[in-house]
Amino acid sequence: MGKYFQEEIETASREEIVKIQNEKIVKQVKHVYDNVAYYRDLMDKKGVKPEDIKTIDDIKKLPFLTKADLRDAYPYGLLGTDLKDCVRIQSTSGTTGKRVVAFYTQHDIDLWEECCARAIVAAGGTNEDVVQVCYGYGLFTGGPGLNGGSHKVGSLTLPMSSGNTERQIQFMMDLESTILCCTPSYAAFIAESLAEKGYKPEDNKLKAGIFGAEPWTEEMRQAIEKGLGIKAYDIYGLTETSGPGVSFECEEQTGMHINEDHFYAEIIDPDTGEVLPDGEVGELVFTSLDKEAFPLLRYRTRDLCVLSRKKCSCGRTHVKMSKPKGRSDDMLIIRGVNVFPSQIETVLLNEGYTPNYQIIVDRKNNTDTMDINVELTPEQFSDKVAEVADKEKALEGAMRTMLGIGPKVHLCAPKTIVRSEGKAVRVIDNRKLH
């Protein structure tokens, strides 16, 4: 199989990619206008007709879609085909308001699984690998996406789902898993659990991990790589556009290649909606170029990142997106300061602490408060009160330097912060802001 899953398209020239996008966008806008009344109304309000879209550059004439639109149109309002042509739904793991329900034709699933296969091959996967998928199965897209991608590659697939860490470790060791797919926080927990059982990183057969579904820092990547003895690759996606595999990292690990033959990316100013040039930080907007059942045009992801077209040593020519640098909506504003959980994680890992933490935000006497609970390892734990207080003070100083405001840090005993087997719950915001 070699280095690429679909070499011709993954290494296509810029002219070829643009040609594909030009053809697909014209067809897709017509498909959406003819079949999705909700989006047709948005286009009509903006005075845009399908014939106004002649090339991919014309995409900026189209209206945006937001998560609020998806909730308003729930469940069938954005469906682009007859229900009888759909073979599956997936749904977000969101906890606020109505869930987002995405529909798939068999063709949609085939394309999605091909995108995930590209990610697995980019991480070194072949038909000789054993791929252990510990993302959740069911409505969450992580498990089904990587499961299907692994099948397309021809790897032996272990559909473990999340949780039951004892069994995860047993299968990993007995069946000699070589590629691990899960959230980064769960990968860190597996590494911790293996170490507790007396295993060293060289005792497992893993060579790579494909981790996504939550933000993670470069420092956390290094900690996971060291703990499991692997190379850790990032993968990105969202239910609204299909699931994981919208973009993925190659061996260069300097950003994720977007599958540009299926997804068109723009970076916009989150406040004005103006399209920004490559290299500027802004909100990521995706258009699904060939989704049939749930064809979203200009969907605002709320993820903040940067696009780069710098030549990549892996030979792939598709544009790269940086790791999301936070979100334009779940960014915390505390006492007027923008705070991203990823900044806190960076400080913790730089200072030698675990990535097991929780941020608790509250408002007392009209003033925001921020407490950070940080779990200690058994080696770091001490029952000497003065020693713990000194460490807390030092960490508060490091946090103040990074964030510009001083949180209250509480160092906690090992295993006292609840582990998540899916997406880690990092922030508890008790302020009544709505």
Side-chain angles (χ1 to χ4, degrees), residues 10 19 54 70 120-121 178 184 197 212 215 219 225 231 233 243 245-246 270 289 296 299 323 335 358 369 396 430 433:
E10 291 180 64
K19 185 170 179 279
K54 297 179 176 64
L70 271 57
I120 292 168
V121 174
T178 54
K197 289 179 180 298
E219 291 81 5
E225 288 188 337
K231 195 157 174 173
Y233 295 84
V246 170
L289 294 171
L296 299 190
Y299 178 67
K323 264 180 183 301
R335 302 200 287 278
Q358 207 154 45
T369 62
E396 283 169 358
N430 295 321
L433 299 177

Side-chain angles (χ1 to χ4, degrees), residues 130 132 158 171-173 175-179 205-207:
V130 179
Q132 183 160 339
L158 309 187
F171 273 64
M172 181 186 291
M173 302 311 282
L175 292 164
E176 301 189 335
S177 304
T178 54
I179 297 177
K205 290 285 192 291
L206 292 173
K207 64 180 186 184

Side-chain angles (χ1 to χ4, degrees), residues 37-201:
Y38 188 97
Y39 198 79
R40 180 166 62 244
D41 290 347
L42 291 179
M43 282 179 67
D44 288 346
K45 274 187 197 130
K46 216 175 169 203
V48 190
K49 290 280 180 274
E51 47 273 23
D52 298 330
I53 310 301
K54 297 179 176 64
T55 70
I56 198 72
D57 288 339
D58 293 326
I59 201 167
K60 51 178 82 72
K61 297 175 182 173
L62 294 170
F64 293 113
L65 274 173
T66 65
K67 203 155 208 167
D69 289 313
L70 271 57
R71 291 201 183 109
D72 290 347
Y74 173 91
Y76 294 123
L78 287 165
L79 190 60
T81 54
D82 287 344
L83 205 52
K84 67 177 168 48
D85 297 324
C86 298
V87 296
R88 193 193 299 172
I89 68 148
Q90 302 280 171
S91 175
T92 57
S93 54
T95 51
T96 53
K98 289 175 186 158
R99 284 173 166 265
V100 170
V101 176
F103 299 84
Y104 300 74
T105 63
Q106 187 55 52
H107 178 68
D108 292 336
I109 287 173
D110 290 340
L111 294 184
W112 174 27
E113 291 178 349
E114 281 176 8
C115 289
C116 289
R118 291 179 192 178
I120 292 168
V121 174
T126 70
N127 57 6
E128 292 178 6
D129 279 289
V130 179
V131 176
Q132 183 160 339
V133 184
C134 331
Y135 286 111
Y137 280 67
L139 288 171
F140 178 59
T141 54
L146 271 302
N147 189 89
S150 177
H151 278 240
K152 287 252 195 277
V153 175
S155 309
L156 177 63
T157 311
L158 309 187
M160 302 294 295
S161 197
S162 56
N164 199 335
T165 307
E166 286 288 318
R167 189 176 61 193
Q168 300 279 6
I169 288 172
Q170 186 196 337
F171 273 64
M172 181 186 291
M173 302 311 282
D174 293 352
L175 292 164
E176 301 189 335
S177 304
T178 54
I179 297 177
L180 179 67
C181 304
C182 59
T183 59
S185 53
Y186 194 48
F189 182 47
I190 288 174
E192 200 180 290
S193 304
L194 283 165
E196 278 171 11
K197 289 179 180 298
Y199 288 114
K200 296 186 182 68

Side-chain angles (χ1 to χ4, degrees), residues 95-382:
T95 51
T96 53
K98 289 175 186 158
R99 284 173 166 265
V100 170
V101 176
F103 299 84
Y104 300 74
T105 63
Q106 187 55 52
H107 178 68
D108 292 336
I109 287 173
D110 290 340
L111 294 184
W112 174 27
E113 291 178 349
E114 281 176 8
C115 289
C116 289
R118 291 179 192 178
I120 292 168
V121 174
T126 70
N127 57 6
E128 292 178 6
D129 279 289
V130 179
V131 176
Q132 183 160 339
V133 184
C134 331
Y135 286 111
Y137 280 67
L139 288 171
F140 178 59
T141 54
L146 271 302
N147 189 89
S150 177
H151 278 240
K152 287 252 195 277
V153 175
S155 309
L156 177 63
T157 311
L158 309 187
M160 302 294 295
S161 197
S162 56
N164 199 335
T165 307
E166 286 288 318
R167 189 176 61 193
Q168 300 279 6
I169 288 172
Q170 186 196 337
F171 273 64
M172 181 186 291
M173 302 311 282
D174 293 352
L175 292 164
E176 301 189 335
S177 304
T178 54
I179 297 177
L180 179 67
C181 304
C182 59
T183 59
S185 53
Y186 194 48
F189 182 47
I190 288 174
E192 200 180 290
S193 304
L194 283 165
E196 278 171 11
K197 289 179 180 298
Y199 288 114
K200 296 186 182 68
E202 59 271 22
D203 294 337
N204 70 62
K205 290 285 192 291
L206 292 173
K207 64 180 186 184
I210 298 174
F211 307 130
E214 64 187 16
W216 53 308
T217 56
E218 206 49 51
E219 291 81 5
M220 189 166 181
R221 185 212 298 272
Q222 285 158 18
I224 292 169
E225 288 188 337
K226 198 171 157 205
L228 290 173
I230 60 170
K231 195 157 174 173
Y233 295 84
D234 208 346
I235 189 168
Y236 175 90
L238 31 144
T239 305
E240 296 91 324
T241 53
S242 67
V246 170
S247 67
F248 59 87
E249 268 187 329
C250 61
E251 71 258 21
E252 200 177 88
Q253 291 180 307
T254 55
M256 292 171 275
H257 290 284
I258 294 169
N259 284 310
E260 286 191 272
D261 50 327
H262 300 305
F263 306 101
Y264 182 73
E266 301 169 89
I267 295 286
I268 64 163
D269 179 314
D271 298 324
T272 65
E274 180 202 349
V275 178
L276 300 173
D278 290 351
E280 287 201 26
V281 179
E283 183 183 340
L284 185 59
V285 172
F286 271 121
T287 292
S288 297
L289 294 171
D290 42 20
K291 279 282 291 282
E292 295 175 334
F294 200 63
L296 299 190
L297 303 179
R298 299 198 89 197
Y299 178 67
R300 295 184 60 160
T301 66
R302 296 293 178 192
D303 284 324
L304 299 173
C305 72
V306 172
L307 295 183
S308 165
R309 292 182 203 277
K310 252 189 15 214
K311 197 169 188 245
C312 186
S313 60
C314 78
R316 288 176 183 81
T317 48
H318 294 203
V319 67
K320 275 185 185 172
M321 58 177 274
S322 66
K323 264 180 183 301
K325 297 172 182 300
R327 287 174 62 80
S328 63
D329 59 354
D330 71 5
M331 169 181 78
L332 293 163
I333 300 178
I334 298 166
R335 302 200 287 278
V337 177
N338 296 349
V339 174
F340 292 107
S342 57
Q343 295 172 302
I344 288 163
E345 190 175 292
T346 296
V347 173
L348 292 178
L349 289 160
N350 281 343
E351 298 290 323
Y353 291 91
T354 71
N356 297 315
Y357 65 94
Q358 207 154 45
I359 305 160
I360 295 142
V361 186
D362 213 331
R363 182 162 284 174
K364 289 172 185 151
N365 303 325
N366 296 321
T367 303
D368 292 338
T369 62
M370 177 165 62
D371 291 74
I372 304 172
N373 296 335
V374 180
E375 193 179 277
L376 295 168
T377 63
E379 299 77 54
Q380 290 169 328
F381 185 65
S382 163

